Protein backbone atom coordinates (compact mmCIF):
# COMPACT_ATOMS: atom_id res chain seq x y z
CA UNK A 1 0.00 0.00 0.00
CA UNK A 2 1.32 3.43 -1.00
CA UNK A 3 -0.56 6.20 0.76
CA UNK A 4 -1.02 9.46 -1.06
CA UNK A 5 -2.92 12.63 -0.22
CA UNK A 6 -5.20 14.38 -2.70
CA UNK A 7 -6.73 17.82 -2.42
CA UNK A 8 -10.34 17.25 -3.48
CA UNK A 9 -13.57 19.20 -3.83
CA UNK A 10 -17.26 18.46 -3.35
CA UNK A 11 -20.04 20.72 -4.65
CA UNK A 12 -23.58 20.68 -3.28
CA UNK A 13 -25.72 21.29 -6.37
CA UNK A 14 -28.82 22.06 -4.30
CA UNK A 15 -27.18 25.35 -3.34
CA UNK A 16 -25.94 26.51 -6.75
CA UNK A 17 -27.99 29.48 -7.99
CA UNK A 18 -26.18 29.85 -11.32
CA UNK A 19 -24.80 33.31 -10.56
CA UNK A 20 -21.48 32.57 -12.35
CA UNK A 21 -19.49 34.43 -9.70
CA UNK A 22 -17.05 31.53 -9.54
CA UNK A 23 -16.56 31.67 -13.32
CA UNK A 24 -15.95 35.43 -13.36
CA UNK A 25 -13.47 35.46 -10.49
CA UNK A 26 -11.60 32.50 -11.95
CA UNK A 27 -11.51 34.24 -15.32
CA UNK A 28 -10.16 37.44 -13.81
CA UNK A 29 -7.54 35.55 -11.82
CA UNK A 30 -6.23 33.02 -14.33
CA UNK A 31 -7.32 33.71 -17.92
CA UNK A 32 -7.71 37.45 -18.24
CA UNK A 33 -5.06 37.81 -20.95
CA UNK A 34 -4.36 37.38 -24.64
CA UNK A 35 -4.76 33.88 -26.00
CA UNK A 36 -7.31 32.75 -23.43
CA UNK A 37 -10.35 34.76 -24.45
CA UNK A 38 -12.44 31.62 -25.00
CA UNK A 39 -11.06 29.76 -21.98
CA UNK A 40 -13.07 29.17 -18.81
CA UNK A 41 -11.22 27.04 -16.26
CA UNK A 42 -14.46 27.22 -14.25
CA UNK A 43 -17.78 27.33 -16.04
CA UNK A 44 -21.35 26.81 -14.88
CA UNK A 45 -23.64 24.84 -17.17
CA UNK A 46 -27.39 24.49 -17.14
CA UNK A 47 -28.57 20.91 -17.24
CA UNK A 48 -30.14 19.55 -19.33
CA UNK A 49 -28.03 21.07 -22.08
CA UNK A 50 -25.22 20.22 -24.46
CA UNK A 51 -22.61 22.09 -22.40
CA UNK A 52 -19.28 23.78 -23.09
CA UNK A 53 -17.73 22.87 -25.43
CA UNK A 54 -20.72 21.51 -27.33
CA UNK A 55 -21.47 17.84 -26.65
CA UNK A 56 -18.27 17.38 -24.63
CA UNK A 57 -19.87 14.36 -22.94
CA UNK A 58 -20.17 12.47 -26.24
CA UNK A 59 -17.06 10.29 -26.12
CA UNK A 60 -18.09 8.43 -29.27
CA UNK A 61 -17.26 11.69 -31.00
CA UNK A 62 -14.31 13.01 -28.97
CA UNK A 63 -12.71 9.73 -27.79
CA UNK A 64 -11.78 11.09 -24.36
CA UNK A 65 -11.04 9.14 -21.21
CA UNK A 66 -10.29 5.43 -20.91
CA UNK A 67 -11.90 2.19 -22.00
CA UNK A 68 -11.22 -1.51 -21.59
CA UNK A 69 -9.81 -3.41 -24.56
CA UNK A 70 -10.80 -6.96 -25.50
CA UNK A 71 -8.42 -8.36 -22.90
CA UNK A 72 -9.86 -6.16 -20.17
CA UNK A 73 -6.86 -3.86 -20.05
CA UNK A 74 -7.21 -0.15 -19.56
CA UNK A 75 -6.40 1.87 -22.67
CA UNK A 76 -6.96 5.42 -23.84
CA UNK A 77 -9.96 5.95 -26.08
CA UNK A 78 -7.79 8.19 -28.24
CA UNK A 79 -5.60 5.20 -29.06
CA UNK A 80 -2.14 3.87 -28.29
CA UNK A 81 1.17 5.63 -28.77
CA UNK A 82 1.51 4.79 -32.46
CA UNK A 83 -1.99 6.00 -33.26
CA UNK A 84 -1.44 9.25 -31.38
CA UNK A 85 1.94 9.68 -33.07
CA UNK A 86 0.31 9.31 -36.48
CA UNK A 87 -2.08 12.14 -35.59
CA UNK A 88 0.41 14.43 -33.94
CA UNK A 89 0.19 17.04 -36.71
CA UNK A 90 -3.47 16.48 -37.67
CA UNK A 91 -5.66 15.45 -34.76
CA UNK A 92 -9.33 15.07 -35.79
CA UNK A 93 -10.59 14.68 -32.19
CA UNK A 94 -10.31 18.35 -31.27
CA UNK A 95 -13.17 20.77 -30.62
CA UNK A 96 -13.11 23.76 -32.94
CA UNK A 97 -13.64 27.34 -31.87
CA UNK A 98 -17.28 26.93 -32.90
CA UNK A 99 -17.63 24.07 -30.40
CA UNK A 100 -16.39 26.38 -27.66
CA UNK A 101 -17.54 29.79 -28.93
CA UNK A 102 -15.93 32.69 -30.73
CA UNK A 103 -15.28 35.36 -28.09
CA UNK A 104 -16.57 38.82 -28.90
CA UNK A 105 -15.75 42.34 -27.88
CA UNK A 106 -17.74 45.51 -28.46
CA UNK A 107 -16.90 48.97 -29.74
CA UNK A 108 -17.84 51.04 -26.71
CA UNK A 109 -16.29 54.21 -28.15
CA UNK A 110 -19.23 54.53 -30.54
CA UNK A 111 -21.42 55.24 -27.52
CA UNK A 112 -18.99 57.49 -25.70
CA UNK A 113 -18.02 59.51 -28.76
CA UNK A 114 -21.43 59.73 -30.44
CA UNK A 115 -22.36 63.32 -31.30
CA UNK A 116 -25.38 64.94 -29.72
CA UNK A 117 -28.62 65.28 -31.60
CA UNK A 118 -28.63 61.89 -33.36
CA UNK A 119 -32.04 60.69 -34.49
CA UNK A 120 -31.05 57.04 -34.02
CA UNK A 121 -29.49 55.50 -30.93
CA UNK A 122 -25.95 54.26 -31.67
CA UNK A 123 -25.46 50.51 -31.27
CA UNK A 124 -22.43 48.59 -30.00
CA UNK A 125 -21.69 45.94 -32.59
CA UNK A 126 -19.80 42.75 -31.76
CA UNK A 127 -16.30 42.17 -33.11
CA UNK A 128 -14.34 38.93 -32.90
CA UNK A 129 -11.73 39.03 -30.14
CA UNK A 130 -9.67 36.65 -32.29
CA UNK A 131 -9.73 38.30 -35.72
CA UNK A 132 -11.08 41.77 -35.01
CA UNK A 133 -13.69 41.31 -37.74
CA UNK A 134 -17.43 41.99 -37.31
CA UNK A 135 -19.34 38.89 -36.24
CA UNK A 136 -22.71 37.61 -35.11
CA UNK A 137 -22.86 36.22 -31.58
CA UNK A 138 -24.45 32.77 -31.92
CA UNK A 139 -23.05 30.74 -29.00
CA UNK A 140 -21.29 31.19 -25.69
CA UNK A 141 -19.90 29.39 -22.67
CA UNK A 142 -23.23 29.83 -20.84
CA UNK A 143 -25.52 30.20 -23.85
CA UNK A 144 -28.01 27.73 -22.37
CA UNK A 145 -28.12 29.55 -19.05
CA UNK A 146 -31.56 29.27 -17.46
CA UNK A 147 -32.58 26.82 -20.22
CA UNK A 148 -32.14 29.48 -22.88
CA UNK A 149 -32.73 27.78 -26.23
CA UNK A 150 -33.46 24.47 -24.50
CA UNK A 151 -36.38 23.74 -26.78
CA UNK A 152 -33.95 23.79 -29.73
CA UNK A 153 -30.86 22.01 -28.44
CA UNK A 154 -31.24 20.46 -24.98
CA UNK A 155 -32.86 17.29 -26.29
CA UNK A 156 -29.45 16.52 -27.81
CA UNK A 157 -27.89 16.41 -24.37
CA UNK A 158 -25.80 13.17 -24.45
CA UNK A 159 -27.15 12.22 -21.03
CA UNK A 160 -30.69 12.21 -22.39
CA UNK A 161 -29.80 10.22 -25.49
CA UNK A 162 -28.19 7.53 -23.29
CA UNK A 163 -31.22 7.22 -21.01
CA UNK A 164 -33.70 4.38 -21.50
CA UNK A 165 -36.48 5.47 -23.87
CA UNK A 166 -39.13 5.32 -21.16
CA UNK A 167 -37.07 7.52 -18.83
CA UNK A 168 -36.07 9.91 -21.62
CA UNK A 169 -39.74 10.45 -22.38
CA UNK A 170 -40.10 12.07 -18.95
CA UNK A 171 -37.86 14.93 -20.02
CA UNK A 172 -39.96 17.74 -21.42
CA UNK A 173 -38.94 21.16 -22.67
CA UNK A 174 -42.30 22.82 -22.27
CA UNK A 175 -43.33 25.44 -19.75
CA UNK A 176 -44.17 23.91 -16.35
CA UNK A 177 -43.05 20.46 -17.55
CA UNK A 178 -39.30 20.88 -17.66
CA UNK A 179 -36.59 20.94 -15.01
CA UNK A 180 -33.16 22.47 -14.69
CA UNK A 181 -30.21 22.70 -12.33
CA UNK A 182 -26.77 24.27 -12.52
CA UNK A 183 -23.57 22.25 -12.82
CA UNK A 184 -20.31 24.09 -12.02
CA UNK A 185 -17.30 22.40 -13.60
CA UNK A 186 -13.55 22.64 -13.17
CA UNK A 187 -10.71 20.25 -13.97
CA UNK A 188 -11.31 17.00 -12.09
CA UNK A 189 -7.64 16.52 -11.07
CA UNK A 190 -8.21 12.81 -11.57
CA UNK A 191 -6.41 9.95 -9.84
CA UNK A 192 -6.01 8.33 -13.28
CA UNK A 193 -5.76 11.38 -15.58
CA UNK A 194 -6.02 10.59 -19.28
CA UNK A 195 -4.44 13.92 -20.19
CA UNK A 196 -1.21 13.02 -18.38
CA UNK A 197 -0.96 9.65 -20.11
CA UNK A 198 -1.67 11.10 -23.55
CA UNK A 199 0.89 13.94 -23.45
CA UNK A 200 3.76 13.06 -25.85
CA UNK A 201 6.18 15.53 -24.29
CA UNK A 202 5.49 14.70 -20.64
CA UNK A 203 4.42 18.26 -19.91
CA UNK A 204 1.26 17.20 -18.07
CA UNK A 205 1.98 15.85 -14.61
CA UNK A 206 0.24 15.06 -11.34
CA UNK A 207 1.93 16.48 -8.25
CA UNK A 208 2.93 13.76 -5.83
CA UNK A 209 2.35 15.81 -2.70
CA UNK A 210 -1.26 16.90 -3.29
CA UNK A 211 -2.49 15.30 -6.53
CA UNK A 212 -3.03 18.56 -8.41
CA UNK A 213 -2.61 18.10 -12.19
CA UNK A 214 -0.54 20.83 -13.83
CA UNK A 215 1.16 21.69 -17.14
CA UNK A 216 4.91 22.34 -17.40
CA UNK A 217 4.88 25.27 -19.81
CA UNK A 218 8.57 24.78 -20.67
CA UNK A 219 8.04 21.20 -21.81
CA UNK A 220 4.71 21.71 -23.56
CA UNK A 221 5.00 21.60 -27.36
CA UNK A 222 1.34 22.20 -28.14
CA UNK A 223 0.58 18.72 -29.51
CA UNK A 224 -2.95 19.01 -28.03
CA UNK A 225 -3.28 15.30 -27.30
CA UNK A 226 -4.23 16.31 -23.77
CA UNK A 227 -7.23 18.19 -25.12
CA UNK A 228 -8.44 15.10 -26.97
CA UNK A 229 -7.79 12.72 -24.08
CA UNK A 230 -9.55 14.79 -21.40
CA UNK A 231 -13.18 13.60 -21.43
CA UNK A 232 -14.31 16.71 -19.55
CA UNK A 233 -12.58 19.01 -22.08
CA UNK A 234 -10.96 21.02 -19.33
CA UNK A 235 -7.57 21.40 -21.03
CA UNK A 236 -7.31 24.36 -23.38
CA UNK A 237 -4.75 25.74 -25.81
CA UNK A 238 -3.57 29.32 -25.50
CA UNK A 239 -3.70 30.39 -29.14
CA UNK A 240 -1.14 33.15 -28.50
CA UNK A 241 1.54 30.92 -26.95
CA UNK A 242 0.57 27.55 -28.44
CA UNK A 243 0.78 25.99 -24.98
CA UNK A 244 -1.76 23.90 -23.11
CA UNK A 245 -3.36 25.46 -20.05
CA UNK A 246 -5.83 24.20 -17.47
CA UNK A 247 -7.27 24.73 -14.02
CA UNK A 248 -4.43 24.77 -11.49
CA UNK A 249 -6.71 24.23 -8.48
CA UNK A 250 -5.31 27.60 -7.40
CA UNK A 251 -2.25 25.77 -6.06
CA UNK A 252 -0.53 28.94 -4.77
CA UNK A 253 -3.56 29.51 -2.54
CA UNK A 254 -3.78 25.84 -1.56
CA UNK A 255 -0.11 25.87 -0.55
CA UNK A 256 -0.86 28.82 1.72
CA UNK A 257 -3.82 27.01 3.29
CA UNK A 258 -6.41 29.09 1.42
CA UNK A 259 -9.35 27.80 -0.66
CA UNK A 260 -9.48 28.09 -4.43
CA UNK A 261 -10.71 31.42 -5.75
CA UNK A 262 -13.94 29.80 -7.04
CA UNK A 263 -14.60 28.43 -3.55
CA UNK A 264 -13.69 31.66 -1.79
CA UNK A 265 -16.11 33.74 -3.86
CA UNK A 266 -18.96 31.22 -4.17
CA UNK A 267 -22.20 33.02 -3.31
CA UNK A 268 -24.11 29.84 -2.49
CA UNK A 269 -21.34 28.43 -0.25
CA UNK A 270 -21.74 25.13 -2.04
CA UNK A 271 -18.08 24.08 -2.30
CA UNK A 272 -16.11 21.99 0.16
CA UNK A 273 -12.34 21.49 0.10
CA UNK A 274 -10.29 18.95 1.96
CA UNK A 275 -7.72 16.17 1.92
CA UNK A 276 -8.52 12.60 0.91
CA UNK A 277 -6.08 9.76 1.61
CA UNK A 278 -5.93 7.01 -0.99
CA UNK A 279 -3.95 3.91 -1.91
CA UNK A 280 -2.00 4.60 -5.09
CA UNK A 281 -1.49 0.87 -5.68
CA UNK A 282 -5.27 0.36 -5.91
CA UNK A 283 -5.93 3.02 -8.58
CA UNK A 284 -5.34 0.85 -11.66
CA UNK A 285 -7.53 -1.98 -10.41
CA UNK A 286 -10.34 0.44 -9.51
CA UNK A 287 -10.27 2.03 -12.97
CA UNK A 288 -10.23 -1.39 -14.64
CA UNK A 289 -13.37 -3.01 -13.18
CA UNK A 290 -15.48 -4.60 -15.87
CA UNK A 291 -18.96 -3.39 -14.95
CA UNK A 292 -19.34 0.40 -15.18
CA UNK A 293 -21.88 0.26 -12.36
CA UNK A 294 -19.09 -0.95 -10.07
CA UNK A 295 -16.83 2.04 -10.77
CA UNK A 296 -18.37 4.19 -8.03
CA UNK A 297 -17.77 1.63 -5.29
CA UNK A 298 -14.37 0.80 -6.77
CA UNK A 299 -13.23 4.39 -6.48
CA UNK A 300 -14.62 4.70 -2.98
CA UNK A 301 -12.61 1.59 -2.18
CA UNK A 302 -9.42 3.38 -3.18
CA UNK A 303 -9.94 5.96 -0.44
CA UNK A 304 -8.61 5.22 3.03
CA UNK A 305 -10.39 5.98 6.30
CA UNK A 306 -8.44 8.81 7.99
CA UNK A 307 -9.95 7.83 11.34
CA UNK A 308 -8.29 4.40 11.20
CA UNK A 309 -5.19 4.48 13.47
CA UNK A 310 -3.37 2.07 11.14
CA UNK A 311 -3.97 4.35 8.15
CA UNK A 312 -2.82 7.40 10.09
CA UNK A 313 0.35 5.65 11.19
CA UNK A 314 1.04 4.42 7.66
CA UNK A 315 0.68 7.98 6.40
CA UNK A 316 3.21 9.20 8.96
CA UNK A 317 5.58 6.37 8.05
CA UNK A 318 5.30 7.48 4.40
CA UNK A 319 6.60 10.91 5.39
CA UNK A 320 3.29 12.75 5.35
CA UNK A 321 3.33 15.81 7.65
CA UNK A 322 1.24 15.48 10.80
CA UNK A 323 -0.75 18.52 9.74
CA UNK A 324 -1.87 16.72 6.61
CA UNK A 325 -2.85 13.61 8.56
CA UNK A 326 -4.96 15.72 10.90
CA UNK A 327 -6.48 17.66 7.98
CA UNK A 328 -7.52 14.36 6.40
CA UNK A 329 -9.28 13.40 9.63
CA UNK A 330 -11.24 16.67 9.66
CA UNK A 331 -11.87 16.73 5.90
CA UNK A 332 -15.45 17.62 4.90
CA UNK A 333 -14.78 15.98 1.54
CA UNK A 334 -14.09 12.63 3.19
CA UNK A 335 -17.25 12.93 5.27
CA UNK A 336 -19.44 13.59 2.21
CA UNK A 337 -17.79 10.90 0.06
CA UNK A 338 -16.78 8.17 2.48
CA UNK A 339 -18.82 8.58 5.65
CA UNK A 340 -22.22 9.87 4.51
CA UNK A 341 -21.75 8.56 0.95
CA UNK A 342 -23.89 11.26 -0.61
CA UNK A 343 -21.28 12.77 -2.96
CA UNK A 344 -20.88 11.28 -6.44
CA UNK A 345 -18.23 11.65 -9.18
CA UNK A 346 -18.99 13.22 -12.55
CA UNK A 347 -19.13 10.51 -15.23
CA UNK A 348 -17.25 7.68 -13.50
CA UNK A 349 -17.58 5.69 -16.73
CA UNK A 350 -14.70 7.75 -18.15
CA UNK A 351 -12.48 5.73 -15.77
CA UNK A 352 -10.29 8.70 -14.86
CA UNK A 353 -11.35 8.50 -11.18
CA UNK A 354 -12.26 12.19 -10.88
CA UNK A 355 -11.63 14.04 -7.62
CA UNK A 356 -14.28 16.76 -7.91
CA UNK A 357 -17.50 15.19 -6.63
CA UNK A 358 -21.09 16.41 -6.41
CA UNK A 359 -24.03 16.13 -4.05
CA UNK A 360 -26.87 15.71 -6.58
CA UNK A 361 -29.80 18.12 -6.56
CA UNK A 362 -32.98 17.02 -4.83
CA UNK A 363 -36.32 18.25 -6.13
CA UNK A 364 -38.90 19.49 -3.56
CA UNK A 365 -39.66 15.98 -2.36
CA UNK A 366 -42.07 16.93 0.42
CA UNK A 367 -44.21 19.00 -1.94
CA UNK A 368 -44.13 16.18 -4.49
CA UNK A 369 -45.17 13.69 -1.82
CA UNK A 370 -48.16 15.81 -0.81
CA UNK A 371 -49.13 16.45 -4.43
CA UNK A 372 -49.20 12.69 -5.01
CA UNK A 373 -51.63 12.24 -2.11
CA UNK A 374 -49.01 10.60 0.11
CA UNK A 375 -47.97 11.26 3.70
CA UNK A 376 -44.79 13.36 3.77
CA UNK A 377 -44.01 12.09 7.28
CA UNK A 378 -44.10 8.43 6.24
CA UNK A 379 -40.74 6.98 5.24
CA UNK A 380 -42.18 4.65 2.59
CA UNK A 381 -44.18 7.42 0.97
CA UNK A 382 -41.20 9.77 0.88
CA UNK A 383 -38.90 7.13 -0.58
CA UNK A 384 -41.41 6.02 -3.21
CA UNK A 385 -41.79 9.61 -4.35
CA UNK A 386 -38.07 9.76 -5.18
CA UNK A 387 -38.75 7.95 -8.45
CA UNK A 388 -41.42 10.46 -9.45
CA UNK A 389 -39.52 13.70 -8.91
CA UNK A 390 -39.32 16.35 -11.61
CA UNK A 391 -35.59 15.71 -12.12
CA UNK A 392 -35.58 12.11 -13.36
CA UNK A 393 -33.37 9.81 -11.31
CA UNK A 394 -32.20 8.25 -14.58
CA UNK A 395 -30.83 11.60 -15.74
CA UNK A 396 -28.83 12.06 -12.54
CA UNK A 397 -27.64 8.48 -12.90
CA UNK A 398 -26.23 9.20 -16.36
CA UNK A 399 -24.29 12.11 -14.89
CA UNK A 400 -23.01 10.65 -11.64
CA UNK A 401 -23.33 6.85 -11.43
CA UNK A 402 -22.65 5.55 -14.95
CA UNK A 403 -26.38 4.93 -15.43
CA UNK A 404 -26.99 3.09 -12.14
CA UNK A 405 -30.36 4.56 -11.14
CA UNK A 406 -30.48 2.64 -7.86
CA UNK A 407 -27.23 4.19 -6.67
CA UNK A 408 -28.45 7.69 -7.54
CA UNK A 409 -31.81 7.03 -5.87
CA UNK A 410 -30.04 5.84 -2.73
CA UNK A 411 -28.29 9.20 -2.38
CA UNK A 412 -31.52 11.10 -2.99
CA UNK A 413 -33.24 9.00 -0.33
CA UNK A 414 -30.61 10.01 2.23
CA UNK A 415 -31.08 13.66 1.35
CA UNK A 416 -34.87 13.33 1.49
CA UNK A 417 -34.66 11.52 4.81
CA UNK A 418 -32.46 14.29 6.21
CA UNK A 419 -35.00 16.94 5.18
CA UNK A 420 -37.95 15.02 6.61
CA UNK A 421 -36.11 14.18 9.83
CA UNK A 422 -34.96 17.76 10.46
CA UNK A 423 -38.43 19.07 9.61
CA UNK A 424 -40.06 16.80 12.17
CA UNK A 425 -37.42 17.52 14.82
CA UNK A 426 -37.74 21.28 14.32
CA UNK A 427 -41.56 21.40 14.25
CA UNK A 428 -42.50 19.14 17.15
CA UNK A 429 -39.26 17.62 18.45
CA UNK A 430 -40.09 14.09 17.32
CA UNK A 431 -37.45 11.65 16.10
CA UNK A 432 -38.45 9.98 12.82
CA UNK A 433 -36.88 6.64 13.61
CA UNK A 434 -38.32 4.94 10.52
CA UNK A 435 -36.55 7.44 8.29
CA UNK A 436 -33.25 6.79 10.04
CA UNK A 437 -33.65 3.04 9.73
CA UNK A 438 -34.61 3.39 6.08
CA UNK A 439 -31.30 5.02 5.17
CA UNK A 440 -29.13 3.20 7.71
CA UNK A 441 -27.98 6.31 9.56
CA UNK A 442 -28.11 7.43 13.17
CA UNK A 443 -29.70 10.64 14.40
CA UNK A 444 -26.25 12.01 15.20
CA UNK A 445 -25.03 11.32 11.65
CA UNK A 446 -28.09 12.92 10.05
CA UNK A 447 -27.79 16.05 12.17
CA UNK A 448 -24.07 16.25 11.48
CA UNK A 449 -24.73 15.85 7.75
CA UNK A 450 -27.38 18.57 7.92
CA UNK A 451 -24.99 20.97 9.62
CA UNK A 452 -22.28 20.35 7.03
CA UNK A 453 -24.62 20.78 4.06
CA UNK A 454 -26.70 23.67 5.37
CA UNK A 455 -24.98 25.84 7.97
CA UNK A 456 -21.31 24.84 8.08
CA UNK A 457 -18.89 27.65 8.87
CA UNK A 458 -15.92 28.68 6.76
CA UNK A 459 -13.37 26.54 8.59
CA UNK A 460 -15.68 23.53 8.42
CA UNK A 461 -16.11 23.77 4.64
CA UNK A 462 -12.42 24.39 3.90
CA UNK A 463 -9.92 22.21 5.75
CA UNK A 464 -6.62 22.78 3.96
CA UNK A 465 -3.26 22.12 5.63
CA UNK A 466 -0.70 24.90 5.57
CA UNK A 467 2.39 22.72 5.68
CA UNK A 468 3.77 24.22 2.49
CA UNK A 469 3.68 27.78 3.74
CA UNK A 470 5.47 26.73 6.92
CA UNK A 471 8.11 24.85 4.94
CA UNK A 472 8.61 27.92 2.77
CA UNK A 473 9.07 30.11 5.84
CA UNK A 474 11.60 27.67 7.27
CA UNK A 475 13.57 27.62 4.03
CA UNK A 476 13.57 31.40 3.87
CA UNK A 477 14.83 31.60 7.45
CA UNK A 478 17.49 29.03 6.66
CA UNK A 479 18.70 31.07 3.69
CA UNK A 480 18.84 34.25 5.74
CA UNK A 481 20.74 32.52 8.55
CA UNK A 482 23.38 31.11 6.19
CA UNK A 483 24.39 34.59 5.02
CA UNK A 484 24.99 33.32 1.51
CA UNK A 485 23.91 30.44 -0.67
CA UNK A 486 21.00 28.57 0.87
CA UNK A 487 22.83 25.29 0.17
CA UNK A 488 25.72 26.34 2.41
CA UNK A 489 24.33 25.04 5.67
CA UNK A 490 24.74 22.13 8.01
CA UNK A 491 23.92 18.96 6.15
CA UNK A 492 23.90 20.74 2.77
CA UNK A 493 26.38 20.22 -0.07
CA UNK A 494 27.93 23.62 0.65
CA UNK A 495 29.42 26.17 -1.71
CA UNK A 496 32.33 27.36 0.40
CA UNK A 497 35.82 27.43 -1.16
CA UNK A 498 34.49 27.31 -4.73
Amino acid sequence: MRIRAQVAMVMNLDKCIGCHTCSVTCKQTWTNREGTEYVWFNNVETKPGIGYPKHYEDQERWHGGWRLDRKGRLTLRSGGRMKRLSRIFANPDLPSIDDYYEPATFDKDILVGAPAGLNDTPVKRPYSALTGEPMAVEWGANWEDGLGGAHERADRDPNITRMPAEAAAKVRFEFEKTFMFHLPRICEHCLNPACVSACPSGAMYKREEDGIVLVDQDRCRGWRMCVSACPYKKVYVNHATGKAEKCTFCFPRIEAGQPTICSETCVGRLRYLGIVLYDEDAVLAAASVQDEHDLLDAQRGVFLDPHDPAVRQAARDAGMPEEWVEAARLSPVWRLIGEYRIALPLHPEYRTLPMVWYVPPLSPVLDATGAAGRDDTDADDVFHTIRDLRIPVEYLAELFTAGDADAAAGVLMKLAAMRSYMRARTLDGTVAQELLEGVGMTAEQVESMYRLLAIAKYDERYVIPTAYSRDAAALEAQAAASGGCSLDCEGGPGMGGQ
Side-chain angles (χ1 to χ4, degrees), residues 271-323:
R271 300 182 188 233
Y272 301 81
L273 282 169
I275 300 297
V276 175
L277 302 181
Y278 70 97
D279 180 6
E280 189 176 24
D281 290 335
V283 169
L284 178 60
S288 303
V289 297
Q290 289 287 334
D291 191 343
E292 290 184 344
H293 289 179
D294 294 333
L295 284 167
L296 173 59
D297 287 336
Q299 183 170 357
R300 281 180 175 153
V302 172
F303 303 143
L304 302 173
D305 186 354
H307 299 280
D308 186 339
V311 170
R312 294 166 62 84
Q313 187 57 47
R316 297 187 189 100
D317 294 342
M320 194 174 298
E322 183 63 32
E323 188 174 4

Side-chain angles (χ1 to χ4, degrees), residues 178-482:
T178 191
F179 69 91
M180 60 164 279
F181 60 91
H182 298 290
L183 180 70
R185 292 202 305 121
I186 64 173
C187 168
E188 299 287 333
H189 297 277
C190 309
L191 296 183
N192 183 38
C195 58
V196 173
S197 297
C199 179
S201 59
M204 304 283 296
Y205 66 99
K206 185 174 180 66
R207 300 210 307 185
E208 182 176 342
E209 60 268 30
D210 55 20
I212 296 175
V213 178
L214 298 174
V215 184
D216 185 338
Q217 294 291 296
D218 291 332
R219 300 186 67 176
C220 179
R221 296 295 178 266
W223 300 125
R224 310 186 186 199
M225 294 298 170
C226 51
V227 179
S228 300
C230 175
Y232 305 99
K233 291 296 172 279
K234 277 300 176 181
V235 183
Y236 306 90
V237 174
N238 182 317
H239 62 79
T241 65
K243 305 283 189 177
E245 298 188 15
K246 61 179 294 299
C247 163
T248 66
F249 218 78
C250 292
F251 72 89
R253 294 177 60 89
I254 294 293
E255 290 176 357
Q258 299 175 352
T260 61
I261 197 67
C262 58
S263 301
E264 182 76 74
T265 59
C266 177
V267 173
R269 302 197 301 178
L270 61 97
R271 300 182 188 233
Y272 301 81
L273 282 169
I275 300 297
V276 175
L277 302 181
Y278 70 97
D279 180 6
E280 189 176 24
D281 290 335
V283 169
L284 178 60
S288 303
V289 297
Q290 289 287 334
D291 191 343
E292 290 184 344
H293 289 179
D294 294 333
L295 284 167
L296 173 59
D297 287 336
Q299 183 170 357
R300 281 180 175 153
V302 172
F303 303 143
L304 302 173
D305 186 354
H307 299 280
D308 186 339
V311 170
R312 294 166 62 84
Q313 187 57 47
R316 297 187 189 100
D317 294 342
M320 194 174 298
E322 183 63 32
E323 188 174 4
W324 282 64
V325 177
E326 181 63 13
R329 186 183 70 83
L330 300 174
S331 172
V333 172
W334 161 254
R335 290 166 65 188
L336 294 170
I337 294 176
E339 184 177 345
Y340 307 140
R341 301 171 73 87
I342 57 172
L344 300 171
L346 183 63
H347 290 298
E349 68 272 17
Y350 298 163
R351 300 180 181 271
T352 61
L353 306 190
M355 289 305 294
V356 176
W357 288 44
Y358 297 86
V359 178
L362 180 65
S363 303
V365 63
L366 300 183
D367 291 345
T369 304
R374 298 169 178 163
D375 182 0
D376 59 19
T377 63
D378 183 86
D380 288 337
D381 282 357
V382 171
F383 292 159
H384 285 137
T385 307
I386 292 292
R387 292 285 186 173
D388 301 324
L389 295 179
R390 174 168 287 190
I391 303 178
V393 172
E394 292 83 359
Y395 185 83
L396 296 176
E398 291 296 334
L399 273 174
F400 302 118
T401 60
D404 186 352
D406 290 338
V411 171
L412 296 181
M413 287 177 183
K414 286 187 177 182
L415 296 174
M418 179 191 72
R419 290 188 184 183
S420 298
Y421 172 86
M422 293 304 300
R423 179 171 179 255
R425 195 181 73 92
T426 303
L427 290 178
D428 53 24
T430 59
V431 176
Q433 192 61 39
E434 289 186 11
L435 286 172
L436 298 177
E437 294 173 355
V439 295
M441 299 180 71
T442 66
E444 182 181 1
Q445 286 178 315
V446 169
E447 293 187 27
S448 177
M449 182 171 72
Y450 162 76
R451 175 178 178 81
L452 184 59
L453 290 177
I455 58 175
K457 295 182 179 180
Y458 187 94
D459 57 356
E460 293 175 296
R461 290 183 287 123
Y462 308 136
V463 181
I464 308 167
T466 57
Y468 286 102
S469 61
R470 294 180 182 177
D471 290 345
L475 290 171
E476 185 177 359
Q478 185 184 80
S482 67

Side-chain angles (χ1 to χ4, degrees), residues 60-64 77-79 83 87 90-95 224 227-229 233:
E60 295 300 320
R61 175 181 180 184
W62 301 119
H63 304 110
R77 280 184 176 270
S78 56
K83 183 176 181 180
R87 296 181 171 188
N91 184 358
D93 298 331
L94 285 174
R224 310 186 186 199
V227 179
S228 300
K233 291 296 172 279

Side-chain angles (χ1 to χ4, degrees), residues 12 44 50 53-54 68 80 97 105 115 140 143 145 173 258 324 394 396 400 480:
N12 182 5
V44 181
I50 60 177
K54 297 175 183 175
L68 298 181
I97 194 63
T105 186
W143 193 261
D145 195 24
F173 298 103
Q258 299 175 352
W324 282 64
E394 292 83 359
L396 296 176
F400 302 118

